[in-house]
Amino acid sequence: MTITILNGKIPEKFEVEGVMLYALPRAREQSIFPKSVFSDNNTLFLYIPKNVRLEKPLHFLYQNNSKQYFSHHVIIANENSELTLLEEYQNNHAMNVTTEIYASKNARVHFAKIQNENSSATHDASLSIHQQEESVVNVFSLSNGARSARELIKINLHERGAECILNGFYPLKNDEQKLDYFIDVNHHAKHTRSEMLYKGILDKKSKSNFRGKVFVHQAAKHITAHQSNHHLLLSKEAEAGSKPELEIYADDVKCTHGATVGQIDPDALFYLRARGLDEKESMKLLTAAFAADVLDRMKNNFIKNQINMTLAEYCHE
Amino acid sequence: MLQIKNLHASIQDEKQKSKVILRGINLNIKPGEVHAIMGPNGSGKSTLANILAGRAGYDISQGEIIFDEKNIFTLAPEERAALGLFLAFQYPVEIPGVNNMYFLKAALNSLRKQRGLNELDAMDFLTLIKNKIKEVCLNESFLHRAVNEGFSGGEKKRNEVLQMLMLEPRLAILDETDSGLDIDALQTVAKGVNSLRSENRSFIIVTHYQRLLDYIVPDVVHVMVKGKIIKTGGKELALELEAKGYGWLEEQVVVS
Ligand SMILES: Nc1ncnc2c1ncn2[C@@H]1O[C@H](COP(=O)(O)OP(=O)(O)OP(=O)(O)O)[C@@H](O)[C@H]1O
Ligand SMILES: [Mg+2]
């Protein structure tokens, strides 16, 4: 179900498969949360009760035109519940968004984001996730839009068995385009697991900066954390910075990280062309091959479709 | 079909120093002919093959390459492929993430399009490739893997021959397609080439071993040393090289 937020107009109330979705003023009346938590009216509040599994993805689509816009999403997935949510951004000016996800025991949250803002817009996002016992959260983000975009992500694995898997793809192709990722994953408890795979393709004079930090607290024994960040540069002037960090205070942990910045393999390009594919087609094949593994991580068909449409349009511009 | 006239080529090495590789190559290949090129390591055989296929990065200071009466010097690799040039690489590159079958279909259809033919649909393509892959004795599972990724040396060479059979070039250059092959594979490669031999299709076979030439009998054998063709003869020249090595020829060059 798609909820379009046009020019900042948040719908007051929605019912999706028996679950209520509220804009904040109404959520306050529900008194599930302390009234003081939120200060503005631009909040979408989503509460998934215990044992409720929403089959269809929820889709927040932001299309606001001219002025700067602030938005706040609060998602509470109660025990044993399941939710798939896609945030999609197609704005013209400036977007600031904060998303908070609370995943209770055994909850499954699939969170995806398509940041496809206008090429002159700015996008500033902060995502924080808190996970309890045995909960699993999947994060997938495609960031191809905006002139300048910043993504702050903070993951807290509070209880035993919590797992968070983060994937992202960022194809940048405009001279002034700039993207920053700052990701913090905090392992607070034993047997928690995190995995990060982020890939960027940078053309023209675009710039990306990735900092991924895994922090393992003293109590967090037997955890697993993997982090990788790979880039393909299509022009000599593009820049990709990558800084994986690990800070470990516990014993018996399995942590890996890797980062690369590379170019198209000229031998592969020549091989394809020598068989008759033109340069453009060959480049398309090789860049798609680079992105294939991270894009394959998205299993939801509806979201996959939105991603493919966005990419197809983006590559044709 | 192919004429190479006084071709000189050099390359910038890692230290940005110019290194001369080809020093005046002359070759004339008529339709239907099979030419073998032999010669010591580093003499420039692969460089010649790569230049013919259109690889960038060489400095061609002199000479001409005429294919079907056309100077192909300025043509891109894909345009040369469309004219019917094919290079089976000495070291086929692995391309992770690009599906072998998808690649072959795209390549074949791109060539057909450039030649003004209609593209093959999925069914026709599948029938064709299933036939051809049997000829090179590769399992169909190789079609579903990434191009050459994790293929053994011999499997890569068979995959090159498979591509040749699919694309049906007019001039095929096989750069050491026999190296590292077991006896069965060698016969498979030879069978592939022989099945394509016809009066208007030509081959350049680069090899170190006379053994392959027992199966693919050449019309002409050339010996390349230090960027020059220093001797040309019939198929018996290959036997002589096998017996005597290259030393006696190199001495002759020094004397002359
Ligand atoms: N990119 C390059 N940079 C520097 N030197 C090169 C480059 N390519 C080729 N050469 C040099 O040019 C010479 C000819 O190489 P080439 O690969 O053409 O030889 P070849 O006759 O095919 O040898 P082999 O029988 O071993 O395959 C060699 O000395 C090689 O090192
Ligand atoms: Mg060679």
Side-chain angles (χ1 to χ4, degrees):
Chain A
M1 156 165 218
T2 298
I3 297 152
T4 306
I5 300 134
L6 206 72
N7 289 317
K9 276 227 163 48
I10 281 187
E12 279 215 345
K13 186 176 126 185
F14 262 102
E15 191 177 326
V16 183
E17 292 177 56
V19 175
M20 300 309 274
L21 168 70
Y22 298 105
L24 187 70
R26 292 295 301 275
R28 282 213 182 97
E29 291 163 24
Q30 301 299 308
S31 71
I32 297 165
F33 259 78
K35 289 190 170 52
S36 58
V37 176
F38 313 112
S39 57
D40 59 61
N41 286 342
N42 299 335
T43 298
L44 273 166
F45 183 85
L46 188 59
Y47 180 84
I48 319 295
K50 199 168 162 175
N51 295 330
V52 169
R53 294 176 176 263
L54 294 187
E55 304 239 317
K56 295 199 186 102
L58 260 177
H59 181 196
F60 294 169
L61 177 60
Y62 279 86
Q63 296 176 321
N64 67 313
N65 291 322
S66 46
K67 65 182 213 303
Q68 178 161 30
Y69 189 66
F70 294 88
S71 189
H72 190 173
H73 302 154
V74 180
I75 292 117
I76 303 198
N78 223 314
E79 225 177 286
N80 219 21
S81 66
E82 181 160 356
L83 161 77
T84 303
L85 173 67
L86 169 64
E87 289 180 357
E88 188 166 3
Y89 298 92
Q90 304 172 344
N91 301 303
N92 290 332
H93 193 58
M95 179 79 211
N96 293 62
V97 59
T98 302
T99 300
E100 292 168 55
I101 297 174
Y102 299 87
S104 307
K105 186 175 171 181
N106 267 324
R108 299 279 174 278
V109 178
H110 312 278
F111 174 78
K113 166 169 177 172
I114 298 177
Q115 187 272 96
N116 185 25
E117 311 275 36
N118 185 289
S119 60
S120 63
T122 60
H123 183 90
D124 213 318
S126 143
L127 168 68
S128 82
I129 299 179
H130 295 272
Q131 293 187 233
Q132 289 179 331
E133 201 178 328
E134 302 288 341
S135 62
V136 178
V137 177
N138 282 294
V139 175
F140 184 99
S141 70
L142 169 67
S143 305
N144 60 277
R147 175 175 50 79
S148 169
R150 198 159 66 127
E151 301 275 349
L152 296 177
I153 301 179
K154 274 195 166 45
I155 311 295
N156 284 291
L157 303 170
H158 292 287
E159 290 180 4
R160 189 187 174 93
E163 174 175 312
C164 187
I165 296 161
L166 297 135
N167 294 298
F169 176 49
Y170 43 100
L172 309 183
K173 62 167 195 186
N174 297 322
D175 275 338
E176 301 297 316
Q177 205 170 1
K178 205 169 151 281
L179 171 68
D180 287 327
Y181 261 106
F182 295 104
I183 306 180
D184 282 287
V185 178
N186 289 299
H187 288 260
H188 298 278
K190 284 183 191 171
H191 297 286
T192 46
R193 219 176 82 77
S194 71
E195 196 178 313
M196 261 184 244
L197 173 63
Y198 281 79
K199 283 191 161 188
I201 299 181
L202 291 92
D203 202 352
K204 303 274 180 58
K205 292 182 191 162
S206 63
K207 284 195 182 79
S208 73
N209 184 24
F210 183 95
R211 202 219 57 185
K213 181 169 182 177
V214 173
F215 193 105
V216 184
H217 291 263
Q218 201 173 355
K221 289 181 181 163
H222 313 294
I223 66 102
T224 319
H226 300 296
Q227 191 186 159
S228 40
N229 178 219
H230 302 295
H231 299 96
L232 184 61
L233 302 187
L234 299 182
S235 101
K236 286 205 166 65
E237 291 157 322
E239 279 174 45
S242 185
K243 202 166 150 215
E245 290 176 34
L246 266 174
E247 210 170 320
I248 304 171
Y249 295 99
D251 303 328
D252 206 4
V253 300
K254 247 191 237 139
C255 296
T256 60
H257 64 80
T260 59
V261 178
Q263 279 102 31
I264 288 279
D265 175 3
D267 290 337
L269 183 63
F270 177 59
Y271 190 89
L272 298 178
R273 295 182 70 185
R275 294 292 176 259
L277 298 170
D278 65 26
E279 188 175 11
K280 211 171 141 203
E281 184 70 23
S282 305
M283 289 293 285
K284 231 168 84 183
L285 265 184
L286 293 173
T287 48
F290 173 81
D293 61 344
V294 69
L295 291 176
D296 278 349
R297 300 271 180 108
M298 174 47 66
K299 300 294 180 209
N300 182 286
N301 281 330
F302 169 77
I303 297 174
K304 216 176 181 145
N305 211 16
Q306 295 294 114
I307 288 170
N308 289 340
M309 277 185 338
T310 307
L311 285 175
E313 204 174 286
Y314 183 66
C315 296
H316 266 104
E317 271 168 19
Chain B
M1 170 172 281
L2 177 76
Q3 286 157 289
I4 303 173
K5 294 181 192 161
N6 193 29
L7 186 68
H8 289 255
S10 54
I11 196 159
Q12 299 261 332
D13 66 11
E14 307 81 56
K15 292 173 201 135
Q16 305 303 313
K17 276 203 348 224
S18 176
K19 177 175 173 183
V20 181
I21 303 177
L22 301 182
R23 307 159 193 269
I25 299 283
N26 290 292
L27 262 186
N28 190 358
I29 298 173
K30 299 200 185 75
E33 286 184 346
V34 175
H35 287 231
I37 299 180
M38 305 181 80
N41 293 132
S43 55
K45 304 178 298 295
S46 294
T47 303
L48 175 64
N50 279 310
I51 289 174
L52 289 177
R55 187 191 284 265
Y58 300 97
D59 176 22
I60 314 283
S61 57
Q62 276 186 65
E64 277 180 78
I65 303 168
I66 314 285
F67 185 68
D68 281 345
E69 259 96 84
K70 235 187 289 179
N71 192 336
I72 59 168
F73 187 69
T74 54
L75 296 187
E78 59 271 25
E79 293 169 317
R80 299 180 192 209
L83 289 178
L85 257 156
F86 178 91
L87 168 61
F89 288 83
Q90 182 175 2
Y91 304 110
V93 59
E94 301 196 5
I95 314 182
V98 176
N99 175 273
N100 206 19
M101 177 136 80
Y102 180 87
F103 157 62
L104 261 169
K105 183 159 178 264
L108 180 61
N109 279 333
S110 168
L111 290 182
R112 290 181 66 94
K113 220 164 88 187
Q114 291 185 72
R115 291 170 187 163
L117 299 167
N118 65 317
E119 298 187 16
L120 285 190
D121 65 24
M123 279 307 290
D124 289 343
F125 177 80
L126 210 63
T127 315
L128 184 66
I129 197 155
K130 283 191 170 177
N131 275 320
K132 302 287 183 191
I133 200 166
K134 279 196 204 109
E135 288 185 39
V136 297
C137 303
L138 271 181
N139 189 294
E140 278 179 27
S141 65
F142 283 89
L143 294 174
H144 306 294
R145 289 169 60 175
V147 178
N148 294 323
E149 192 186 28
F151 288 23
S152 78
E155 288 160 356
K156 283 179 184 161
K157 298 297 172 91
R158 287 173 200 252
N159 200 33
E160 293 292 289
V161 176
L162 171 65
Q163 292 172 24
M164 179 182 75
L165 295 177
M166 291 294 294
L167 303 178
E168 301 185 319
R170 301 203 31 245
L171 172 66
I173 306 156
L174 282 77
D175 190 359
E176 295 199 24
T177 305
D178 55 332
S179 291
L181 292 189
D182 61 40
I183 298 289
D184 288 347
L186 192 74
Q187 290 189 357
T188 305
V189 169
K191 234 169 64 193
V193 170
N194 288 330
S195 76
L196 281 186
R197 269 182 98 155
S198 77
E199 56 194 24
N200 43 30
R201 183 174 285 131
S202 312
F203 293 87
I204 297 175
I205 313 266
V206 175
T207 182
H208 286 294
Y209 306 105
Q210 115 81 22
R211 198 180 47 176
L212 178 69
L213 304 178
D214 282 342
Y215 299 108
I216 308 170
V217 182
D219 299 296
V220 186
V221 175
H222 306 277
V223 182
M224 188 193 282
V225 176
K226 296 193 181 113
K228 263 193 165 149
I229 289 179
I230 58 162
K231 195 167 179 68
T232 294
K235 59 176 187 276
E236 61 299 330
L237 179 56
L239 286 167
E240 204 173 346
L241 290 171
E242 183 101 333
K244 298 203 229 165
Y246 295 111
W248 60 285
L249 283 172
E250 292 181 55
E251 279 158 29
Q252 283 183 359
V253 176
V254 174
V255 173
S256 67

